[in-house]
């Protein structure tokens, strides 16, 4: 016979995954529109630095708002915080769909970023805190796989249905409204609260935490930061035409989809030390493959697979390690998301500068230096946490 406690736990888990489903659905139009708008800007003669700034804006605004997450969580709870974030990102997508003005597009991207700070943090924290630590890698990997699938579906909708920006815009509006369906019947007053706000506290050992945050940052640079610049790089090398370059963003997401759950299972069994190092080496090799793709076009596809698979896995491993080391510490989860987001914001900017310096070797110069500078942390972080 099922006890009331078992039924209550199952109901709470169902609610958590309904919020997760809404967050995943919202990722589809975001993944479709932002790189498509970046390609539109490139075709319109916008400079790589300006495109990089546009690509960075959602991450910059997410980063600015993340420090507010613990305070907002304590004030309004998970459910209202999530709904606020979803409403803001919906407004940003609708604005992005209705305008072609650079300034208004930047405002739309900014609203998407602000909304992500609250929607994303709520979902990640719910999953990290409701999952037993012995299964945290698998469950986190499964959720990240769904997110990656949504990020892959968005860009691939463009070539599959021969969408132009005008037709994609209408679809984006429909998809972002569809994202509300999983939670529309849930009362914002009775969301999946896990503990009283005063119980969600604790301190962070910064000498342990900083290496994990740095590795999460690098994951953001590659998986999220190169979503917009990856297609630009391919078109400027002459490897892909502008009309199909957005599929590179889909490949990044598909690679992330394919690796998140296996990485989570490996982390449950072996910990993260060797995995962190192997992923860092893979990213270095991907940067060498980019300029070589001018003669061997397969190189750009290998790079995209590495950016999504290895970059996304760096973030997933960081979240898993933090979920174990800092359970029920809101600022720890928010800070790792912030590190990843900072990477997503920094990636397009420094990548754009690299492309201005050299179309062929620019990314390798600026991003390779970043990986080498953080290399010692890949050896230290997981051992200290475990």
């Amino acid at each position: 016979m099922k006890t009331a406690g078992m039924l209550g736990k199952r109901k709470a888990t169902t609610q958590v995954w309904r919020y997760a489903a809404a967050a995943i659905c919202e990722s589809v139009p975001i993944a479709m529109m932002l790189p498509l708008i970046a390609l539109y800007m490139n075709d319109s003669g916008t400079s790589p630095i300006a495109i990089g700034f546009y690509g960075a804006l959602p991450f910059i605004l997410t980063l600015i708002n993340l420090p507010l997450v613990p305070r907002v969580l304590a004030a309004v709870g998970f459910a209202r915080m999530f709904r606020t974030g979803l409403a803001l990102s919906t407004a940003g997508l609708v604005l992005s769909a209705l305008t072609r003005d650079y300034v208004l597009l930047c405002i739309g991207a900014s609203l998407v970023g602000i909304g992500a700070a609250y929607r994303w943090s709520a979902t990640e924290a719910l999953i990290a805190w409701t999952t037993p630590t012995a299964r945290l890698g698998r469950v986190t990997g499964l959720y990240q796989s769904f997110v990656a699938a949504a990020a892959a579906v968005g860009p691939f909708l463009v070539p599959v249905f021969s969408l132009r920006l005008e037709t994609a815009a209408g679809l984006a509006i429909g998809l972002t409204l569809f994202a509300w369906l999983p939670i529309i019947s849930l009362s914002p007053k009775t969301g999946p609260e896990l503990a009283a706000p005063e119980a969600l506290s604790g301190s962070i050992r910064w000498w342990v935490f900083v290496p994990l945050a740095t590795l999460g940052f690098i994951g953001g640079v590659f998986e999220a930061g190169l979503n917009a610049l990856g297609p630009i790089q391919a078109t400027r090398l002459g490897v892909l035409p502008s009309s199909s370059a957005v599929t590179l963003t889909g490949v990044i997401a598909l690679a992330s989809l394919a690796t998140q759950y296996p990485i989570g299972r490996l982390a449950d069994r072996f910990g993260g030390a060797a995995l962190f190092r192997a992923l860092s080496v893979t990213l270095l090799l991907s940067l060498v493959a980019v300029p070589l793709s001018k003669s061997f076009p397969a190189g750009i596809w290998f790079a995209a697979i590495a950016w999504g698979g290895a970059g996304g896995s760096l973030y997933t491993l960081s979240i898993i390690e933090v979920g174990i080391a800092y359970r029920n510490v809101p600022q720890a989860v928010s800070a790792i998301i912030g590190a990843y987001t900072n990477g997503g914001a920094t990636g397009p900017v420094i990548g754009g500068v690299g492309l201005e310096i050299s179309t062929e070797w620019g990314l390798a110069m600026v991003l390779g230096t970043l990986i080498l500078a953080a290399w010692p942390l890949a050896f230290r972080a997981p051992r200290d946490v475990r």
Side-chain angles (χ1 to χ4, degrees):
M1 179 179 291
K2 295 182 176 67
T3 65
M6 291 172 61
L7 292 173
K9 185 175 182 180
R10 178 173 293 182
K11 182 179 178 181
T13 301
T14 300
Q15 287 190 8
V16 168
W17 281 101
R18 287 176 69 176
Y19 280 96
I24 291 163
C25 290
E26 184 75 350
S27 299
V28 175
I30 293 172
M32 177 179 68
M33 286 297 290
L34 296 189
L36 196 58
I37 290 171
L39 283 169
Y40 161 78
M41 291 179 180
N42 184 61
D43 292 341
S44 301
T46 308
S47 73
I49 292 178
I51 297 172
F53 176 74
Y54 168 80
L57 268 176
F59 303 100
I60 293 172
L61 269 296
T62 298
L63 188 65
I64 290 172
N65 281 270
L66 280 173
L68 302 176
V69 166
R71 188 173 300 176
V72 174
L73 174 61
V76 303
F78 281 104
R80 285 194 176 94
M81 185 172 80
F82 182 94
R83 288 169 181 266
T84 298
L86 188 60
L88 288 168
S89 61
T90 297
L93 279 167
V94 171
L95 178 60
S96 297
L98 296 178
T99 186
R100 300 296 175 268
D101 179 77
Y102 179 81
V103 173
L104 292 178
L105 286 171
C106 287
I107 293 173
S110 299
L111 289 173
V112 169
I114 297 170
Y118 302 102
R119 172 175 48 83
W120 187 6
S121 296
T123 309
E124 297 275 7
L126 283 171
I127 291 173
W129 297 346
T130 57
T131 306
T133 56
R135 298 177 55 244
L136 185 57
R138 278 165 284 180
V139 174
T140 302
L142 181 63
Y143 168 70
Q144 297 298 340
S145 294
F146 285 133
V147 172
V153 168
F156 277 119
L157 289 175
V158 176
V160 167
F161 294 103
S162 301
L163 297 177
R164 296 178 299 170
L165 185 55
E166 292 76 11
T167 50
L171 179 60
I173 293 175
L175 289 172
T176 192
L177 295 177
F178 178 81
W180 285 87
L181 291 182
I183 63 167
I184 197 167
S185 64
L186 295 177
S187 171
K189 298 179 180 180
T190 58
E193 308 300 334
L194 303 177
E198 60 269 16
L200 301 175
S201 61
S203 60
I204 293 177
R205 294 166 290 159
W206 292 106
W207 62 92
V208 174
F209 182 77
V210 168
L212 288 174
T214 303
L215 294 166
F217 167 83
I218 294 175
V221 167
F222 282 88
E223 184 190 24
L226 295 182
N227 266 339
L229 279 189
I232 305 303
Q233 170 76 91
T235 58
R236 292 188 172 231
L237 285 172
V239 179
L240 292 173
S242 178
S243 59
S244 61
V246 72
T247 58
L248 202 70
T249 302
V251 170
I252 293 173
L254 280 176
S256 182
L257 166 64
T259 54
Q260 300 315 298
Y261 185 70
I263 282 289
R265 288 196 67 96
L266 289 171
D268 280 341
R269 185 168 183 180
F270 301 111
L275 296 173
F276 275 122
R277 295 195 290 273
L279 295 171
S280 298
V281 170
T282 301
L283 290 175
L284 278 173
L285 292 175
S286 75
L287 294 173
V288 176
V290 170
L292 297 179
S293 65
K294 198 166 186 179
S295 302
F296 303 98
I300 197 68
W301 299 108
F302 166 75
I305 291 169
W307 297 341
S313 294
L314 279 179
Y315 168 72
T316 297
L317 284 174
S318 299
I319 282 288
I320 292 167
E321 299 292 331
V322 164
I324 293 172
Y326 301 107
R327 201 166 181 85
N328 285 1
V329 182
Q331 61 266 37
V333 175
S334 293
I336 286 292
I337 295 174
Y340 176 88
T341 304
N342 198 357
T346 304
V349 174
I350 62 177
V353 171
L355 288 180
E356 289 280 8
I357 295 171
S358 171
T359 298
E360 295 182 10
W361 288 96
L363 285 182
M365 287 189 291
V366 297
L367 299 185
T369 301
L370 174 66
I371 293 177
L372 291 174
W375 179 255
L377 302 179
F379 286 83
R380 177 184 167 203
R383 299 177 192 171
D384 288 345
V385 172
R386 294 270 177 197

